[in-house]
Amino acid sequence: MTVYTCAPNIDAMLTCIYVAWASGLGHQNIRLALEPIGQYSFTDDYIHVDEDIDKAKKVMNSVCNKISPQVYSELSFTAMAYEEDALDNIFHVMILGFAYGPNVLEMVHYKDVMRNREIRTRLGKEVCSFREFVRFHEIKKSVYVAHIEPKSRLLPAISDHFEDRMPSEHWMIVDDVHREAVVHPKDEHYYFWKLNDDEFEQLLVTENENDEYTDMWKTFFDSIAIKERKNIACQNNLFPKWKRKHAVEFL
């Protein structure tokens, strides 16, 4: 088995798909995986693929023109997932899409399509959770910073939500797990930034700065609580502990 590996960003993933498709090795003899690889197999050959914008655009255009823009959008969403088989699944769904057309994601009798639906469903729940659970801290004056630790790279999926609600504010959401950030200047469009070690360390201290909004939220959270109706099991189900590290009401 030949395993093509790449960095976990959309352009690198599309490039990896292009190279694997063009290899001529046969789809049954190919597997795609995101780096870093958790465990290598002695029986597989690993080939690293570097990002190539031109090749990525060719894959994007092919999917949009020969399958549909909607399918490309859904597969791009899948690309944010943390599941180890996400990239390989996208590759095999594309193969089915080129064969059967724009209705491929409805063909759940194929295991790859069903698996894709499972990944997107799980990812969709994670995205919805972090739209609700993001907590901002005010630093300096009218600059808001939030930290999250998601399993998936979901910043692209939540950025529009906050830009729509905070269009005239300076804000930033930092993904501490993947060391990425979305930055929104006041009255401008947001952009994404890969953090280096120094930038990441500087941003970590922002949560240590208390502000009046944080204190007000803690007071509100405590004041509306009804001790007699406290249900830890239900709370853990609706707000899992792994999501709470940056929720100020639990600090």
Side-chain angles (χ1 to χ4, degrees):
M1 179 75 70
T2 300
V3 182
Y4 290 91
T5 69
C6 67
N9 65 74
I10 186 63
D11 289 328
M13 294 168 76
L14 292 175
T15 304
C16 192
I17 290 172
Y18 180 97
V19 172
W21 192 291
S23 67
L25 297 175
H27 304 320
Q28 69 278 8
N29 301 317
I30 293 173
R31 183 165 62 86
L32 280 63
L34 295 175
E35 299 168 352
I37 304 298
Q39 184 173 359
Y40 288 86
S41 171
F42 291 110
T43 59
D44 295 335
D45 295 322
Y46 292 85
I47 300 176
H48 170 76
V49 177
D50 291 319
E51 177 182 326
D52 186 314
I53 299 298
D54 290 335
K55 292 179 180 178
K57 286 182 177 179
K58 288 180 181 178
V59 175
M60 178 187 70
N61 291 334
S62 293
V63 174
C64 290
N65 295 331
K66 297 181 181 179
I67 306 178
S68 76
Q70 178 63 29
V71 170
Y72 176 78
S73 177
E74 295 291 351
L75 294 182
S76 296
F77 185 67
T78 308
M80 292 187 288
Y82 76 88
E83 281 82 355
E84 293 182 358
D85 64 332
L87 177 56
D88 194 59
N89 176 263
I90 292 170
F91 177 65
H92 285 92
V93 171
M94 281 187 183
I95 293 172
L96 291 172
F98 286 126
Y100 297 110
N103 294 323
V104 60
L105 295 180
E106 304 301 321
M107 302 171 67
V108 293
H109 53 285
Y110 286 99
K111 64 178 182 179
D112 293 316
V113 176
M114 191 62 198
R115 175 57 178 160
N116 184 268
R117 180 168 291 191
E118 291 172 355
I119 293 173
R120 286 188 288 119
T121 299
R122 200 276 318 157
L123 178 59
K125 292 179 180 179
E126 186 179 4
V127 168
C128 288
S129 292
F130 278 96
R131 283 175 180 163
E132 300 171 1
F133 297 150
V134 169
R135 302 290 186 258
F136 287 93
H137 295 259
E138 185 180 25
I139 61 173
K140 297 182 179 179
K141 184 179 180 180
S142 299
V143 178
Y144 302 94
V145 178
H147 290 261
I148 60 175
E149 294 192 16
K151 295 180 179 180
S152 305
R153 282 181 159 82
L154 48 72
L155 286 181
I158 67 174
S159 300
D160 286 340
H161 174 85
F162 290 99
E163 183 177 57
D164 182 58
R165 285 153 181 77
M166 303 167 65
S168 298
E169 302 289 349
H170 296 289
W171 56 263
M172 173 188 294
I173 303 175
V174 182
D175 182 340
D176 290 353
V177 176
H178 306 102
R179 299 201 173 189
E180 301 167 342
V182 55
V183 182
H184 180 270
K186 181 178 179 180
D187 295 323
E188 297 181 22
H189 189 55
Y190 62 79
Y191 60 90
F192 298 102
W193 190 260
K194 184 68 177 177
L195 300 171
N196 59 39
D197 292 340
D198 290 339
E199 292 169 336
F200 182 70
E201 292 299 327
Q202 291 176 15
L203 286 169
L204 281 179
V205 302
T206 57
E207 280 193 312
N208 298 328
E209 302 182 21
N210 286 329
D211 62 272
E212 62 175 322
Y213 295 104
T214 298
D215 294 335
M216 288 171 59
W217 175 247
K218 288 182 178 180
T219 302
F220 172 75
F221 183 79
D222 292 335
S223 65
I224 66 170
I226 303 175
K227 294 182 179 179
E228 291 76 12
R229 295 186 178 182
K230 189 174 182 179
N231 188 329
I232 298 298
C234 181
Q235 189 179 68
N236 290 339
N237 182 51
L238 297 175
F239 198 170
K241 291 183 178 180
W242 67 271
K243 297 179 181 178
R244 295 185 192 179
K245 183 177 180 180
H246 303 282
V248 296
E249 61 266 37
F250 290 98
L251 298 179

